[in-house]
Amino acid sequence: MDKWFERDLAHIWHPFTQMKDIPNFPLIFIKKAKGIKLYDDQNHAYFDTISSWWCNIHGHGHPSIMAALRKQTCELDHVLFAGFTHENAIRLSEEITALMPKLLSKVFFSDNGSTAVEVALKMAYQYWAMQNNHKTTFLSLDAGYHGDTIGTMSVSGQNSFNARFRSLCFPSLAAPAPYCYRCPFGSTSDQCQMECANELEKIMHKNHQKIAAMIIEPMVLAAGGMIVYPKIYLDRVGELCKKYDILLIADEVATGFGRTARMFAFEHSTAIPDFVCLSKGLTSGVLPMALTVTTDKIYNAFYDDHDKNKTFFHGHTFTANPLASAVGVASLDVFKKEGTLNHVQNLELYFHDQLDQFLDVPIVGDVRSIGFIGALELVSDKKRKIPVDPNARIGLQIYKKGLENGIILRPIGNVIYLFLPLCTTKNQIKTIISRLKLTLSAFDFGLI
Ligand SMILES: *Cc1c(COP(=O)(O)O)cnc(C)c1O
């Protein structure tokens, strides 16, 4: 056993990890990263096929982003953000709001995706409280994921990750997710009557007087299993929120910054949110930072004389950290200079076609894709859509085999997926897909 391995285990508790499992799970010591590749201490290269947990956009060590960071380190490292401001926070707020519909013109900074969501929940709650309105609850999707803090768990779908903490969470309402492959209404795509949206309307109709906001991941329920859903569902969400006077929170923490081939995934639809939560890709995955973008309407409701008690009392120590802000601005510059969105739009069909081949694999029940996100849902019986046996830990076996082949396929339950950095080239996609084939062909799934 290498020394680093013992030193790690002596003091470190890894996230989402049963530490006793570490001998089964290959802990990998990464020495460096360049472009879309990570290199370990043995100098093995891995394609960063999950964008280092969905945050890398332009590749690792991007020269102009690193240069902006180095430049900023010479000028200002950190300063508190109450009573003080600085150039890159101002620039970032200007550039982000310029990318959004006009109404979304105010930006609140924080430092991770969960807090970006907490801020939106608290703003929505306080907004209605200040109107003397008893809208105090939230509506979300039963396969949604919005973070790991108590508030965000309270509006996330119930799953094995948060089950332990249920009694700590505040109550909220959940609507059935538009999970077409496993339609909760037993429908198929030809018969679909948008039963899920009708059910959503029923819930809103019954409860709108107490619903402050609906929170949703636009177009893709990411941690829920990369469930890509039809844009018309999101259109309906937008219409229904308007109809029932419910604020709409778009949690774009995973989907923001071009992942779905639009800058923000809500742009696929007609829905215009009242809040947009951003984090992961905001700094191209270089430094922690988050934003909650909202409208003048919300902002103005809080804007009053000090003694009216309408201040938004929320803030984090590292709010608008200048280094992270500089990197955020630099990442948006790269979007423009490298035509990142065009690149994704030009290649997404190729990528999706490549993925569709996997439908021929007996163990693959469903293939889902949008932008540079692609997922395979594994089943033991294709006809009856029976999920693979969770105790067999097939996802883990595929993950290990993938690592041998230089790709990272960290599974979500019975879903394996690719979440590619947006700078991935056509050739790299080709290589990654062939390694995915190679990985699956190592198993006796009777394939390809
Ligand atoms: C990852 C994620 C979060 C939480 O972000 P953290 O930075 O991990 O707290 C919230 N919402 C969505 C949609 C996410 O994918």
Side-chain angles (χ1 to χ4, degrees):
M1 220 182 269
D2 278 340
K3 267 244 156 60
W4 63 261
F5 193 70
E6 289 157 10
R7 284 168 52 216
D8 178 286
L9 290 188
H11 299 293
I12 296 175
W13 193 341
H14 289 269
F16 299 117
T17 302
Q18 171 49 265
M19 293 303 292
K20 195 179 173 188
D21 232 7
I22 290 269
N24 283 325
F25 248 100
L27 200 55
I28 297 165
F29 192 76
I30 293 296
K31 287 275 195 188
K32 62 177 187 197
K34 189 104 198 99
I36 70 161
K37 283 191 178 167
L38 304 165
Y39 299 87
D40 70 11
D41 57 329
Q42 313 288 314
N43 214 26
H44 287 148
Y46 306 87
F47 282 106
D48 190 356
T49 44
I50 57 167
S51 297
S52 287
W53 255 352
W54 319 351
C55 62
N56 193 280
I57 300 271
H58 303 299
H60 294 274
H62 190 286
S64 69
I65 296 177
M66 293 301 122
L69 177 56
R70 276 194 297 274
K71 179 164 173 282
Q72 184 61 36
T73 61
C74 302
E75 289 163 12
L76 171 65
D77 47 4
H78 186 63
V79 64
L80 73 163
F81 206 57
F84 295 82
T85 192
H86 53 84
E87 176 66 22
N88 281 312
I90 296 170
R91 278 189 59 191
L92 190 56
S93 69
E94 289 168 346
E95 298 205 9
I96 289 288
T97 52
L99 292 167
M100 300 254 173
K102 251 205 166 63
L103 291 172
L104 285 151
S105 63
K106 293 290 190 282
V107 174
F108 193 94
F109 286 82
S110 61
D111 48 22
N112 66 74
S114 302
T115 54
V117 172
E118 295 274 353
V119 165
L121 297 175
K122 285 175 73 175
M123 281 181 175
Y125 181 93
Q126 183 171 336
Y127 171 82
W128 291 115
M130 293 186 307
Q131 331 276 313
N132 292 320
N133 211 314
H134 296 290
K135 282 158 109 48
T136 55
T137 196
F138 296 95
L139 173 60
S140 57
L141 295 182
D142 64 6
Y145 172 81
H146 302 288
D148 282 340
T149 55
I150 310 279
T152 57
M153 281 193 300
S154 304
V155 295
S156 295
Q158 302 194 18
N159 55 46
S160 57
F161 282 37
N162 59 32
R164 182 74 72 184
F165 307 107
R166 267 295 127 188
S167 65
L168 275 181
C169 294
F170 55 75
S172 69
L173 296 163
Y179 186 177
C180 300
Y181 177 61
R182 296 183 184 283
C183 174
F185 301 91
S187 194
T188 60
S189 54
D190 336 331
Q191 313 156 340
C192 173
Q193 305 282 330
M194 294 298 290
E195 291 91 341
C196 50
N198 299 339
E199 177 64 21
L200 180 70
E201 171 146 28
K202 269 192 211 150
I203 296 172
M204 286 189 177
H205 184 77
K206 183 158 172 244
N207 300 287
H208 65 97
Q209 281 161 331
K210 57 178 188 188
I211 302 175
M214 171 160 187
I215 181 164
I216 190 167
E217 294 159 87
M219 300 307 294
V220 191
L221 310 180
M226 298 296 162
I227 300 168
V228 180
Y229 62 85
K231 81 166 205 63
I232 43 171
Y233 182 81
L234 196 54
D235 294 343
R236 285 285 296 279
V237 167
E239 289 157 18
L240 292 172
C241 282
K242 285 234 151 51
K243 178 170 170 189
Y244 290 103
D245 208 12
I246 291 169
L247 297 171
L248 178 58
I249 302 171
D251 180 354
E252 294 260 5
V253 171
T255 51
F257 301 100
R259 294 289 170 197
T260 70
R262 298 283 200 290
M263 196 57 169
F264 304 108
F266 73 80
E267 293 171 23
H268 287 274
S269 107
T270 54
I272 298 192
D274 299 280
F275 299 93
V276 183
C277 305
L278 301 170
S279 183
K280 293 185 171 118
L282 172 60
T283 62
S284 188
V286 174
L287 287 172
M289 167 157 270
L291 300 177
T292 308
V293 186
T294 190
T295 60
D296 281 328
K297 177 177 104 172
I298 300 291
Y299 176 87
N300 288 335
F302 289 68
Y303 191 90
D304 210 336
D305 297 330
H306 176 76
D307 59 5
K308 294 280 185 353
N309 201 20
K310 293 184 181 173
T311 307
F312 185 55
F313 285 114
H314 187 105
H316 295 281
T317 309
F318 288 104
T319 297
N321 172 261
L323 301 175
S325 304
V327 169
V329 171
S331 173
L332 292 177
D333 280 347
V334 177
F335 266 98
K336 285 177 236 158
K337 277 198 208 110
E338 297 186 357
T340 305
L341 279 181
N342 272 337
H343 172 75
V344 176
Q345 284 160 6
N346 289 337
L347 283 181
E348 66 170 339
L349 278 183
Y350 172 75
F351 177 50
H352 301 171
D353 280 349
Q354 294 292 307
L355 286 164
D356 283 344
Q357 304 168 43
F358 289 90
L359 271 173
D360 294 338
V361 180
I363 198 179
V364 174
D366 192 27
V367 174
R368 305 188 272 269
S369 56
I370 184 171
F372 269 15
I373 303 171
L376 313 179
E377 180 165 335
L378 308 179
V379 290
S380 60
D381 179 335
K382 214 160 167 150
K383 258 217 171 90
R384 292 186 294 157
K385 303 185 181 179
I386 296 175
V388 286
D389 175 11
N391 292 321
R393 305 189 83 179
I394 288 172
L396 175 60
Q397 294 177 46
I398 293 174
Y399 173 66
K400 282 185 180 173
K401 190 45 98 184
L403 291 174
E404 283 172 26
N405 293 325
I407 52 174
I408 302 172
L409 298 172
R410 204 186 147 82
I412 306 174
N414 53 357
V415 174
I416 57 174
Y417 66 91
L418 299 171
F419 203 101
L420 303 179
L422 303 191
C423 62
T424 307
T425 64
K426 187 169 182 178
N427 263 333
Q428 287 169 329
I429 292 176
K430 208 177 201 165
T431 307
I432 289 165
I433 293 284
S434 72
R435 291 187 186 195
L436 179 57
K437 267 190 204 159
L438 183 67
T439 302
L440 292 179
S441 67
F443 297 90
D444 189 19
F445 300 146
L447 22 122
I448 320 191

